[in-house]
Amino acid sequence: MIWEVIYRLAIWPQILFPSPLQVWDTLYHGFVGGRFIIALQNSFRRLLIGYAIALGVGTFLGLLIASSKLIDETLGAFILALQSIPSIVWLPLAILWFRMGETAIIFIVVLGGTWNMVMSASTGIKNVDPTLIKAAKTMGVKGYKLFFKVIIPASIPHLITGMRISWAFSWRALMAGELLGSGQGLGQLLMWARELGNMSMVISIMIIIATLGSVTDGLIFKPLENRVLERWGLNSNN
Amino acid sequence: MLKIEKIQKSFKQKDGSNLQVLKDINLDIKEGEFISLLGPSGCGKSTLLNIIAGLENPSSGSILVEGNEISGAGSDRGVVFQDAALFPWLNVFDNVAFSLKEKGLKKDEVERIAIDNIKKVHLSKFKDSYPHQLSGGMRQRVAIARALAMNPKILLMDEPFGALDEQTRLMLQYELQKIWMETKKTIIFVTHNIREAVQLSDKIVIFGTQPGNVKETFEVKAARPRQMNKGYLVHLEDKILDILKEEIEKVMKEEMGDEYNFEESSLPWDPTRDMGSNI
Ligand SMILES: Nc1ncnc2c1ncn2[C@@H]1O[C@H](COP(=O)(O)OP(=O)(O)O)[C@@H](O)[C@H]1O
Ligand SMILES: [Mg+2]
């Protein structure tokens, strides 16, 4: 509504400020014509590969850090420092190492999601209630079984929260990477639309990006996190 | 059946010095006995229980179960902790079945034993519930069922009812006595509540502090089920209280330094004779 009113007031020229109807039209044709679908497929493939690697590497490093004080004080401190670098800053390096292309962007996505996952995993494992571990030991559980049957499940709340935040970071890193990198993802389509001066297309893509970000968080991660927190008795309303 | 021989335990403190927590503990516990370890907080009761459970190593001395020295935790000793320590991701049934599955029993065997023990603590209706859906008393009952499921010879309980309200505590004390009489387990029960110890035990071991040591041992020669306010039990409570007063004064002097000035009978004892958890 407000959008339409501003449009009618014609503060900016039409080309720079399209009407909602124009945008709707672009969205519709973009999807029916398949252009948005292809861009989404490309983006999601990179995102999923990068995110999966980030979770795996992050959880593994988190375990390592939680397992030894020495590793915590060295590697842990180092990763804390890495965490403060926005992952897109790595792009020049990534381009040198992998050349401009698919791998460079996936690398940025991995870096976007990993550090936070490392911290969540190590915090989760360090904070497992020691009485739970004692109880398990009195029931004859030790070694790797103790690890997989008690320590990992007990740290799931932290792991889920880590996964959720890493997803958001990876998503941001992907968009940044695609805007600057090459290929045929959503970000590249956005840059291409800008070059053509197609504002309607630019806004459509921004809407898609915003929607996807909030839908995955609101429909998948947030409910999952809530369920886990409730089950683990960590929900404040409980 | 359980022999505790010359147990000493020191912890290394942050400043590098050693803190002696247990000094020369010797106890001989008979099969089927209900023993309470009674003493003010910080006197090393949990430490001793953890050593018996095999969760902690003594600095010297040994623990013998039926003549065999223990090494580490074992399914002949089940433990119930103060905060239940149930696995939040498992429901009541799976919590109780946990050790049985670990042992590699067959599925129907696991089910039979688990259900059996859940019945013993009257929680059949709640076998599919998760810990967060249960009250504190119910969680503690699940913890008891979980420990019993391993069919241990000895049940070690560390202030299991310490966090419960009075009503629930009385209920669970009653249920525990019934379970003890039915299963004939040897029970070592840590508490800082004098009345609880007198109500439940055959034998009460009173701990002194700094370092923890056995100060005195009482036999409770009263028929079961016991009712409160019988002269003998009250008399026993008073006797124990007298002994413990000294210990508590010692702790208080230590904590408050010169500001502490004890006047005879000035401690505000509450009617349950609970020494409190933070003394
Ligand atoms: N792992 C540990 N490291 C250092 N000190 C400990 C440790 N566990 C217990 N203590 C100390 O040993 C003393 C006895 O503790 P505890 O056995 O828990 O007493 P209680 O169960 O009788 O209250 C306390 O002063 C406590 O601070
Ligand atoms: Mg204790």
Side-chain angles (χ1 to χ4, degrees):
Chain A
M1 275 307 285
I2 299 171
W3 182 358
E4 184 73 32
V5 170
I6 297 178
Y7 169 72
R8 297 266 161 111
L9 287 174
I11 301 172
W12 291 283
Q14 265 193 31
I15 294 193
L16 292 186
F17 200 85
S19 85
L21 281 175
Q22 277 172 312
V23 170
W24 175 250
D25 199 52
T26 312
L27 272 173
Y28 177 78
H29 282 106
F31 274 107
V32 172
R35 179 184 274 163
F36 286 166
I37 309 259
I38 291 171
L40 275 173
Q41 278 173 349
N42 281 317
S43 288
F44 260 87
R45 190 184 58 246
R46 294 168 182 156
L47 179 62
L48 290 180
I49 295 173
Y51 180 61
I53 297 174
L55 291 191
V57 172
T59 309
F60 177 76
L61 290 179
L63 300 184
L64 222 57
I65 285 177
S67 68
S68 131
K69 209 170 163 144
L70 182 69
I71 300 180
D72 189 7
E73 279 163 5
T74 51
L75 184 64
F78 182 55
I79 285 178
L80 213 57
L82 287 180
Q83 202 177 8
S84 61
I85 305 176
S87 64
I88 192 63
V89 171
W90 290 90
L91 189 66
L93 265 186
I95 292 173
L96 283 178
W97 288 341
F98 307 112
R99 288 168 208 270
M100 185 57 119
E102 195 76 3
T103 324
I105 293 176
I106 291 177
F107 181 71
I108 298 300
V109 173
V110 171
L111 286 177
T114 303
W115 311 133
N116 161 74
M117 197 61 206
V118 175
M119 289 303 147
S120 293
S122 71
T123 315
I125 290 167
K126 280 189 219 158
N127 286 329
V128 172
D129 177 3
T131 329
L132 284 187
I133 296 176
K134 280 189 189 172
K137 281 185 181 163
T138 66
M139 292 185 282
V141 185
K142 51 189 167 201
Y144 76 96
K145 273 192 170 173
L146 183 66
F147 189 76
F148 286 109
K149 295 208 162 166
V150 180
I151 295 177
I152 289 286
S155 43
I156 280 179
H158 274 101
L159 292 179
I160 296 276
T161 305
M163 283 169 69
R164 178 171 164 237
I165 296 169
S166 281
W167 175 263
F169 282 158
S170 294
W171 178 239
R172 267 159 231 209
L174 174 74
M175 285 306 130
E178 285 189 347
L179 282 176
L180 299 177
S182 65
Q184 272 147 26
L186 222 47
Q188 282 112 1
L189 199 58
L190 184 62
M191 284 311 263
W192 179 75
R194 185 196 64 98
E195 273 157 28
L196 293 184
N198 187 346
M199 270 305 131
S200 170
M201 175 85 98
V202 167
I203 293 180
S204 299
I205 295 172
M206 285 171 65
I207 290 175
I208 295 176
I209 292 174
T211 312
L212 279 177
S214 50
V215 162
T216 43
D217 193 61
L219 248 49
I220 303 174
F221 286 102
K222 197 70 193 132
L224 188 65
E225 187 180 28
N226 284 340
R227 265 191 57 185
V228 164
L229 289 184
E230 191 192 333
R231 171 72 51 86
W232 266 247
L234 299 167
N235 212 335
S236 47
N237 330 318
N238 220 292
Chain B
M1 65 142 354
L2 177 68
K3 227 178 158 82
I4 298 167
E5 281 183 335
K6 297 192 190 130
I7 291 288
Q8 318 249 17
K9 177 74 184 178
S10 307
F11 284 112
K12 233 198 177 64
Q13 284 180 304
K14 284 214 180 81
D15 60 10
S17 66
N18 271 326
L19 174 73
Q20 186 168 27
V21 175
L22 293 173
K23 186 186 168 212
D24 197 29
I25 308 282
N26 292 289
L27 284 171
D28 221 329
I29 294 163
K30 288 192 217 89
E31 175 134 28
E33 231 172 3
F34 197 124
I35 300 255
S36 284
L37 306 183
L38 181 66
S41 278
C43 69
K45 306 179 298 287
S46 297
T47 306
L48 179 61
L49 208 77
N50 283 336
I51 290 173
I52 300 173
L55 294 170
E56 205 138 16
N57 290 319
S59 305
S60 67
S62 52
I63 307 281
L64 304 163
V65 177
E66 296 183 325
N68 302 314
E69 187 164 350
I70 63 157
S71 62
S75 62
D76 52 345
R77 285 152 287 143
V79 185
V80 178
F81 299 93
Q82 174 167 356
D83 61 353
L86 302 176
F87 301 130
W89 58 93
L90 299 178
N91 64 21
V92 168
F93 176 88
D94 287 327
N95 263 290
V96 176
F98 187 86
S99 67
L100 304 167
K101 287 180 186 160
E102 276 318 298
K103 258 196 228 162
L105 295 187
K106 280 204 209 96
K107 205 171 164 230
D108 50 338
E109 193 74 339
V110 169
E111 186 150 334
R112 187 181 61 74
I113 299 175
I115 295 283
D116 211 41
N117 282 286
I118 293 171
K119 256 192 211 142
K120 263 188 211 145
V121 295
H122 313 294
L123 282 177
S124 302
K125 260 201 276 178
F126 294 91
K127 72 178 170 54
D128 297 321
S129 302
Y130 284 86
H132 75 94
Q133 298 166 317
L134 305 177
S135 70
M138 286 153 93
R139 275 182 229 165
Q140 217 45 274
R141 276 144 72 187
V142 178
I144 293 172
R146 180 175 71 173
L148 287 174
M150 300 194 297
N151 195 20
K153 292 176 194 133
I154 303 166
L155 197 55
L156 305 167
M157 308 182 87
D158 192 355
E159 306 197 24
F161 309 147
L164 304 178
D165 61 83
E166 191 62 17
Q167 226 60 4
T168 314
R169 173 197 283 259
L170 290 177
M171 275 264 288
L172 281 176
Q173 285 174 2
Y174 174 75
E175 284 186 26
L176 180 62
Q177 288 191 63
K178 269 181 57 180
I179 288 171
W180 174 67
M181 288 192 273
E182 279 165 22
T183 59
K184 305 197 166 63
K185 300 271 176 228
T186 309
I187 296 183
I188 303 180
F189 188 96
V190 168
T191 177
H192 56 245
N193 184 311
I194 302 175
R195 178 157 295 172
E196 185 168 69
V198 169
Q199 278 292 303
L200 294 172
S201 329
D202 294 325
K203 205 193 242 178
I204 301 174
V205 178
I206 297 178
F207 267 68
T209 54
Q210 298 165 357
N213 60 86
V214 175
K215 207 158 183 228
E216 208 156 332
T217 307
F218 280 94
E219 305 242 349
V220 185
K221 290 179 186 134
R224 294 171 193 270
R226 291 171 182 161
Q227 269 134 19
M228 223 22 241
N229 298 327
K230 282 201 174 161
Y232 169 72
L233 294 177
V234 172
H235 175 68
L236 193 61
E237 273 186 32
D238 286 341
K239 245 163 83 181
I240 294 173
L241 187 52
D242 269 344
I243 295 168
L244 280 167
K245 247 186 203 161
E246 260 173 60
E247 289 305 318
I248 292 164
E249 281 168 41
K250 210 160 98 186
V251 176
M252 283 193 154
K253 267 186 194 139
E254 176 96 348
E255 281 177 4
M256 303 189 203
D258 294 338
E259 289 164 41
Y260 180 70
N261 180 8
F262 185 74
E263 286 165 36
E264 193 55 42
S265 316
S266 65
L267 289 178
W269 294 107
D270 79 15
T272 60
R273 305 257 155 98
D274 191 323
M275 282 180 278
S277 49
N278 296 311
I279 295 178

